[in-house]
Amino acid sequence: MADPADLPEPDAVEGAPHPRATVNLFGQAQAEQDFLTAFNSQRLHHAWLLSGPRGVGKATLAWRIARFLLATPPQEGDGLFGAPTPPASLDIPPDHPVARRVLARSEPGLFLLRRGANDKGDKLSDLIRVDEVRKLFNFFALSSADGGRRVVIVDSADEMNTQAANALLKMLEEPPARATLLLISHQPARLLPTIRSRCRTLRLGPLDEDDMRAALDQAQVQIPDGDTAAMTMLSEGSVGTAVRLFNQDGLGLYRQILSVLGSLPQLDRPGMLTLAESCAGKGREDRLALALTLTDRLVSRLARTGVTGHPPPEIVPGEAEILLRLAPDAAHGRAWAEAIQKAGDRARHARAVNVDPAMLITDMFLHLQHAA
């Protein structure tokens, strides 16, 4: 059995700092202000659902809120010199004792609920199981003596199995005193309605180009200056997705897919085979998954071009010309939407039965050629 400390952190993005080590949050000022307004009203809700697309800063916001709550004393009346000035920001200095303990994972008032080890202990479980939720009861029992605030971060609530979700629901129905639960969710519609109804929601949205650049600089991801706009559009405003794209040369892969698609209806078979072979072989599973995702995204843009009559802003030069040529009208747009749906279904089935990745990519583009 492996040491749990040796397992990867399920809430981390490779190549970027963990959210607990991310100091600033970009592009989500409204969500921060909504929480501060509730805090300063002294009617702080006990459970918050942080929702929005994957990778836009929900976990970073959760850790900022956790540091803020644990480092900010409760307001006890006006005091000798009048009422204290309400906090105007969630910022906590990095050298604050709470910030130091949070970074070192030694803060006694904070509990992180996430996927743990599987039964064998050799890798992470696919879901958050009820045993992980039960650890919360011990946390609240042990931390109740000091009378301070307690904060729980659930990352992510989408990953709870049925038993875990029901166990957490009981805690939401009867929350411990001075406790705040922060539930991160990429797809809140999949959560139990009773969980959603007991949380106040903070919605986070995609980042624009300026915020993306600032966020990537903070994560020490150095993309070329001219690629920021392209990366923002390709990642759909998600910093986490942008980091993954950078790690896997996603922009270069998108150009390669566009080149092959742009050869239709006379398919560039050598280019297609080069693309297919680059996704085959041991250790290239992530590239295969990314190639399928980017192909789906590109053909979806193609369908949108036909339906709307004009292409979206170009991710790479020359894209608009290809989109307009292949989808000149609404009928072609609808045909491409149907084609990518069928191609995607075929690809998912092929992956489920372990079809060779090169054959999977080849089949997808032959199907798209037929549609063209």
Side-chain angles (χ1 to χ4, degrees):
M1 179 178 293
D3 186 339
D6 295 333
L7 296 175
E9 295 194 77
D11 50 348
V13 175
E14 184 180 356
H18 189 278
R20 67 172 165 270
T22 304
V23 177
N24 299 308
L25 177 64
F26 298 98
Q28 309 300 348
Q30 186 60 57
E32 289 207 18
Q33 186 56 54
D34 288 347
F35 182 85
L36 270 174
T37 300
F39 177 86
N40 291 330
S41 71
Q42 299 189 33
R43 294 191 299 272
L44 188 66
H45 198 66
H46 69 278
W48 294 77
L49 182 64
L50 281 59
S51 68
R54 187 181 295 274
V56 297
K58 299 186 296 298
T60 298
L61 177 58
W63 286 91
R64 281 176 60 79
I65 290 174
R67 286 191 296 267
F68 172 82
L69 290 176
L70 294 169
T72 305
Q75 297 180 14
E76 303 290 351
D78 289 350
L80 182 63
F81 301 102
T85 302
S89 167
L90 297 179
D91 291 339
I92 298 298
D95 59 351
H96 190 286
V98 167
R100 289 180 174 178
R101 291 195 298 267
V102 167
L103 186 59
R105 291 188 279 181
S106 60
E107 168 55 52
L110 176 64
F111 186 92
L112 175 59
L113 176 59
R114 57 184 179 179
R115 287 184 287 134
N118 63 4
D119 291 332
K120 293 182 178 179
D122 58 347
K123 61 180 181 179
L124 291 169
S125 172
D126 293 333
L127 298 169
I128 296 176
R129 300 185 294 181
V130 69
D131 290 345
E132 300 297 329
V133 180
R134 286 172 180 156
K135 294 177 183 178
L136 269 176
F137 295 93
N138 292 332
F139 163 71
F140 284 119
L142 293 173
S143 62
S144 61
D146 62 8
R149 283 199 179 100
R150 279 82 54 79
V151 179
V152 175
I153 297 175
V154 184
D155 193 0
S156 69
D158 307 332
E159 296 174 337
M160 293 187 294
N161 65 16
T162 302
Q163 293 81 5
N166 286 326
L168 184 67
L169 176 59
K170 292 180 180 179
M171 188 163 292
L172 293 174
E173 292 173 337
E174 300 179 9
R178 304 185 68 78
T180 303
L181 286 80
L182 306 171
L183 283 65
I184 297 167
S185 176
H186 317 302
Q187 296 177 298
R190 298 179 60 182
L191 299 177
L192 293 175
T194 43
I195 286 181
R196 296 199 306 270
S197 67
R198 284 163 175 78
C199 298
R200 179 169 172 179
T201 298
L202 291 175
R203 291 185 176 85
L204 285 73
L207 276 65
D208 62 22
E209 182 180 343
D210 291 339
D211 289 326
M212 177 65 74
R213 165 57 68 185
L216 291 175
D217 285 345
Q218 176 175 242
Q220 298 183 348
V221 176
Q222 301 299 322
I223 66 172
D225 291 337
D227 287 348
T228 304
M231 192 67 80
T232 302
M233 288 186 285
L234 192 58
S235 68
E236 298 183 335
S238 164
V239 181
T241 300
V243 172
R244 293 185 180 93
L245 288 168
F246 175 80
N247 291 339
Q248 300 178 50
D249 187 26
L251 200 53
L253 181 57
Y254 188 79
R255 292 189 182 99
Q256 191 175 4
I257 294 169
L258 178 64
S259 176
V260 175
L261 190 73
S263 68
L264 295 176
Q266 300 299 321
L267 180 63
D268 174 12
R269 289 179 177 265
M272 177 193 67
L273 292 175
T274 299
L275 172 63
E277 290 169 0
S278 74
C279 298
K282 186 176 181 180
R284 296 181 179 177
E285 295 81 6
D286 288 345
R287 182 173 175 84
L288 171 64
L290 183 59
L292 295 174
T293 298
L294 294 182
T295 302
D296 181 89
R297 188 163 301 169
L298 175 54
V299 181
S300 296
R301 288 166 63 84
L302 184 58
R304 195 180 319 137
T305 298
V307 171
T308 63
H310 56 82
E314 287 189 327
I315 293 177
V316 296
E319 181 181 17
E321 185 277 329
I322 293 173
L323 298 181
L324 285 169
R325 177 172 59 82
L326 293 176
D329 52 41
H332 283 82
R334 289 190 292 270
W336 281 114
E338 182 179 348
I340 194 56
Q341 177 66 46
K342 291 181 178 178
D345 290 343
R346 290 165 66 93
R348 282 186 287 273
H349 174 73
R351 294 189 74 185
V353 296
N354 294 320
V355 169
D356 176 74
M359 292 180 61
L360 191 159
I361 294 291
T362 300
D363 177 79
M364 170 173 282
F365 276 94
L366 290 175
H367 183 79
L368 293 175
Q369 181 189 29
H370 178 74

